[in-house]
Amino acid sequence: MRFVRLDTPKPISKIGLGTWQFGSREWGYGPDYERRAAEIVRRALDLGVTLFDTAELYGFGRSERILGAALGDDRAKVVVASKIFPLLPVAPVVQQRAVASAARLGVDGIDLYQVHQPNPVVADTTTMSGMRTLQDVGLVGEVGVSNYDLRRWRFAEAALGRRVLSNQVRYSMLDRGPEEDLIPYAEQAGRIVIAYSPLAQGFLSGRYDAANPPAGAVRRANPYFLPENLARGTELIATLREVADAHDATPSQIALAYVLRHPNVVAIPGASGVEQMERNAAAAEIDLTDDEYAALATAARAFRPVTGLAAVPKMIRARLGK
């Protein structure tokens, strides 16, 4: 396993484990998944994974409980990250929610506590006041944000008066916006971009096509999985397979290696089983050549999916089977 080269109390692995699916039925992993979730966590620990990300919103607290129980006595050795859902993120609420998350996780302190979404009404000034108090009393180690643009990330840091270590954002070969400003800022300032959905919810795995769409409510709600977009992605998947063959790897591993090529980026893919966890962890060891990275970037830019408002009628028709 490789790690981010930053001054943090605990090393942060380049591949972490995202746990949205823990305790959440919408992924369609079945009733036996809670047992498998514990096996995935234990295998991740064996593989050197040190970053485990959850949120109070995931399964309405069940993800935190499942993760904390699975980590057991290893909780103190790894970076346990959670997120507050910012419904009313004023200082007292931030403090109360952190206490509740820590209790569900079974930890004395949350290593990385993040604001799940920017609140359009409540300023980060009061939110970060609560975070600063949590740090002062030792309940929170590092503060992070999620889905923030660069301007608001920097404002949050000014409001905290300390570093806001990370910004967790959607980043993959299909969602390359962070490459414009967030990743350069992270590299310049010694911060971290945490890439969620680095496989575009499995689109980049090559497992799906127009004749074999995914199951589960989460993926069915993603316009990338429209039959038209799956067809449009054929050339991109072919490029991923070509590079994967050169490394004796899978398309998913190459897609992860693409985002991990940036030194201050870590990825937190989920895993449906132990085998997928093993493949994800192995991706941290893949070094893409400049030519391979350029070929992947070119193929990604050429992929033009139907998204936004234009995708809505197509998704409705797909749901109705028309």
Side-chain angles (χ1 to χ4, degrees):
M1 179 55 65
R2 294 177 178 175
F3 301 88
V4 179
R5 295 180 180 178
L6 282 183
D7 178 23
T8 54
K10 301 175 186 177
I12 298 176
S13 53
K14 289 283 283 180
I15 287 285
L17 176 62
T19 65
W20 177 7
Q21 68 275 19
F22 287 12
S24 301
R25 297 179 180 176
E26 60 265 29
W27 284 92
Y29 288 159
D32 188 47
Y33 186 69
E34 188 166 327
R35 176 187 60 78
R36 285 188 287 138
E39 295 174 352
I40 292 166
V41 170
R42 300 312 304 174
R43 185 58 180 144
L45 290 166
D46 292 341
L47 295 167
V49 172
T50 62
L51 176 60
F52 295 83
D53 180 81
T54 184
E56 65 176 8
L57 185 63
Y58 299 163
F60 300 102
R62 289 188 67 203
S63 174
E64 290 177 320
R65 293 190 185 94
I66 293 169
L67 175 61
L71 287 171
D73 293 340
D74 290 306
R75 285 177 292 224
K77 303 175 184 177
V78 300
V79 177
V80 178
S82 193
K83 296 182 286 292
I84 177 175
F85 185 69
L87 181 61
L88 184 65
V90 295
V93 173
V94 172
Q95 295 161 21
Q96 293 165 6
R97 302 317 304 159
V99 170
S101 283
R104 286 189 292 268
L105 286 161
V107 297
D108 295 327
I110 302 172
D111 298 294
L112 175 62
Y113 197 42
Q114 306 153 96
V115 183
H116 207 146
Q117 298 276 352
N119 188 291
V121 177
V122 179
D124 288 302
T125 307
T126 181
T127 303
M128 291 301 154
S129 173
M131 289 288 195
R132 188 165 55 250
T133 299
L134 289 168
Q135 284 186 308
D136 288 344
V137 300
L139 188 62
V140 164
E142 299 281 357
V143 173
V145 292
S146 182
N147 299 302
Y148 275 43
D149 61 24
L150 179 57
R151 181 198 63 81
R152 189 149 182 178
W153 185 6
R154 298 179 75 166
F155 180 84
E157 193 158 55
L160 182 65
R162 302 162 186 171
R163 71 178 180 185
V164 172
L165 178 65
S166 61
N167 191 355
Q168 185 177 141
V169 294
R170 184 186 301 274
Y171 176 44
S172 71
M173 290 178 64
L174 302 191
D175 299 285
R176 300 180 305 281
E179 294 175 359
E180 298 176 8
D181 53 2
L182 296 181
I183 293 174
Y185 173 72
E187 294 178 359
Q188 174 266 321
R191 305 292 185 262
I192 299 172
V193 168
I194 301 176
Y196 73 79
S197 205
L199 299 176
Q201 295 187 345
F203 183 97
L204 297 170
S205 70
R207 293 174 53 199
Y208 307 112
D209 56 39
N212 181 37
V218 174
R219 291 188 177 96
R220 288 201 307 269
N222 187 334
Y224 284 149
F225 293 102
L226 284 169
E228 181 176 344
N229 286 337
L230 288 166
R232 290 187 182 194
T234 301
E235 291 187 13
L236 172 58
I237 299 301
T239 303
L240 277 167
R241 292 190 189 282
E242 182 179 348
V243 176
D245 289 343
H247 289 268
D248 192 23
T250 66
S252 293
Q253 289 175 315
I254 298 304
L256 288 173
Y258 175 94
V259 302
L260 296 181
R261 199 168 191 263
H262 302 281
N264 288 58
V265 172
V266 303
I268 51 169
S272 60
V274 168
E275 296 79 8
Q276 187 176 7
M277 184 67 251
E278 292 170 342
R279 291 193 297 270
N280 290 346
E285 305 298 330
I286 297 175
D287 291 312
L288 299 174
T289 67
D290 291 343
D291 287 345
E292 288 171 338
Y293 183 81
L296 292 168
T298 298
R301 285 193 295 269
F303 174 59
R304 301 294 177 86
V306 179
T307 58
L309 292 176
V312 173
K314 295 177 182 292
M315 292 188 70
I316 293 173
R317 287 197 295 270
R319 285 289 186 92
L320 296 175
K322 297 180 180 181

